[in-house]
Every structure is written in structure tokens, then in C-alpha cells.
Amino acid sequence: MSGAARSARQWRAASAGNGVLFVLIALLIALTLGMAQLEPLFRALFPDLGNPLYARDSFLNLMLAHIGLVLVSSLISVTIGIAAGLFVTRPVGREFEPMVSSLAAIGQTFPPAAVLAIAVPLAGFGFAPTIIALSLYGLLPVIQNTIAGLGTVPQTTLEAARGNGMSRWQILRRVELPLAMRVIIAGIRVSVIINIGTATIGSTVGAKSLGTPLIAGLVGNNLAYVIQGALLVGLLAIVTDLLFERLERRYSFGGQA
């Protein structure tokens, strides 16, 4: 296949992918702002329910609160995770790699609900304990991928950089991180997607999120509430995943953004 044909095929695939992304973003925005317009539909689907549309708070407020939880917790996870990954891949911290990986794995396998139960007596209800749980839960993918990404940098490349007189900081910034960035972003992607879904449990301890209608629906046996919350959470996760996919392409050799 000629280079022109290959480029044309890649352009068509990218255009189709962008079209799907734009449609999903538009659908997410439309449902967030206009869920109330679907009340007749939910009344028809659930005629036995007196209140088929969640109305205790606007879905826009719930969406913004949910995104806030994910952003803050992911920022903490990414900052600590990348710093820990960098530390254990340096000569001074290499002996701590098994311990750091084990601690991160414990944070991942420990149920978020259990973390909330422990954090609530210390941090109270609402935002703070949810952030603690999500931050711990999102650490492992970031740490693992930072270590893996930096480990894929060829030794010959590092030796060539040293031969050119680069300092350790210059090698890290100009050589190691750019080459490892795609793998690191893949870890961040997994961490963020996990937190988008897990953030819903914050509503069990009073944190406002898209889990609020989910919990209200489960407690009140209102399936319509559950569908409304789950639909927005699912769309948010899919859109975020597709955005990260495009970000990863920017750091692939020969890839197209």
C-alpha cells in the first residue's frame, strides 16, 4: 500500500473516530442539561413510579461535583504515583521499588467502601473521605505504568545522552519522560476511568456526585433514578476514555493525534 493510500485510510479512520467522540460529547451535554425533558419518556417506561425523574438537585450540579471529585483525586494520584515511580527508578530509590509497588497494590485491592468507613471518623462526611478513597484507589496504575514506561527506555539511548554531556535532570526531562510518556498516560487513563466509576460511592457518605441519584434509586427502589445516574456516569467514562486515547496517540511513534 502506498504512503498516500495509507495516510488517506488513517485520515478517514481518525475522522470517523472524531465523529463518534463529538456525538458522545454532545449527547453527554444534552442529557446533563436536558434530562428533565425526558420526564414523559421515563413516565411511560415506569408508570408505577410517582416520581420517575430525579429532581432533588440538577444533573448539571451533580455532573460538576462528580468531575470535581475525579479531578482532585486523580491529580493527587498522578502526582504521588509519578513521583513514586520516578523515585524507585533512580539509583537512590531502586531498593524501595518492591515496597512501593506492594503498598500501591494494597491501596488498589482494599475496597473503597472500607476506606470510606475508616476515613469518615477521621475526616468527617462528604468530600474529604471520598477524595482519600479515590486517591488511594487510583495510585496503582499510575505507579506501575510510570515504572514500566521508564523501564522501556533503551540503555543505548541513555548512554548516548550521557555521551552528549547531558545531566541526569536533562536526560530525565528530554529523553526518559518523552519516551515513557505514552505508557504513563495509559496508566493515568486507567486511574481516571476507575475513579469516574468509583466516585459514585462517595454519595454513601454525603458527597455530591452522579452517584446521588443511583443511591437514592437503590434505597427507594426507583429504577428510573438508577438509569439516569448510570447513563451519565457511563457516558462520562466513555468520553474520557476516548479523549485519553487521542492523547496517547500524540506520544506514539508515527501516530496521528
Side-chain angles (χ1 to χ4, degrees):
M1 181 182 293
S2 67
R6 186 181 300 109
S7 298
R9 190 179 68 174
Q10 290 176 346
W11 183 84
R12 286 195 298 269
S15 298
N18 288 335
V20 172
L21 177 60
F22 292 147
V23 168
L24 290 175
I25 291 175
L27 181 59
L28 178 62
I29 294 173
L31 287 176
T32 300
L33 298 178
M35 186 72 77
Q37 306 304 316
L38 297 179
E39 183 174 0
L41 174 62
F42 284 109
R43 286 195 179 279
L45 292 174
F46 304 98
D48 297 332
L49 295 178
N51 297 304
L53 185 72
Y54 185 82
R56 298 175 191 171
D57 202 344
S58 73
F59 283 98
L60 176 60
N61 288 339
L62 295 176
M63 176 65 74
L64 293 176
H66 195 95
I67 292 174
L69 285 172
V70 174
L71 283 177
V72 173
S73 60
S74 295
L75 181 61
I76 294 172
S77 295
V78 169
T79 302
I80 296 176
I82 292 179
L86 289 173
F87 174 70
V88 300
T89 54
R90 305 302 97 184
V92 68
R94 205 173 300 277
E95 62 183 294
F96 295 99
E97 180 179 343
M99 181 185 70
V100 170
S101 297
S102 297
L103 289 175
I106 292 172
Q108 177 81 51
T109 56
F110 210 66
V115 177
L116 286 174
I118 295 173
V120 164
L122 301 175
F125 287 88
F127 185 83
T130 306
I131 291 298
I132 293 172
L134 295 180
S135 299
L136 290 175
Y137 212 57
L139 270 177
L140 182 61
V142 181
I143 292 177
Q144 285 185 330
N145 279 50
T146 301
I147 295 173
L150 292 171
T152 61
V153 180
Q155 287 298 318
T156 53
T157 303
L158 297 177
E159 291 171 5
R162 295 188 192 100
N164 286 330
M166 288 188 180
S167 65
R168 290 183 178 180
W169 167 247
Q170 289 174 323
I171 293 173
L172 175 63
R173 184 168 59 90
R174 298 182 182 178
V175 179
E176 291 186 86
L177 285 178
L179 292 177
M181 190 55 67
R182 188 183 184 191
V183 179
I184 295 174
I185 290 175
I188 297 173
R189 175 183 180 181
V190 172
S191 177
V192 172
I193 299 303
I194 287 174
N195 277 354
I196 288 175
T198 310
T200 56
I201 69 167
S203 297
T204 61
V205 293
K208 183 188 295 186
S209 74
L210 291 172
T212 305
L214 280 169
I215 300 301
L218 292 173
V219 172
N221 196 26
N222 190 320
L223 183 58
Y225 290 179
V226 175
I227 292 174
Q228 290 154 24
L231 186 60
L232 290 177
V233 172
L235 277 173
L236 179 61
I238 293 171
V239 167
T240 303
D241 187 64
L242 291 175
L243 290 172
F244 269 106
E245 181 185 14
R246 279 149 183 74
L247 182 60
E248 282 184 50
R249 289 180 190 172
R250 293 183 178 274
Y251 292 94
S252 60
F253 295 106
Q256 297 293 325

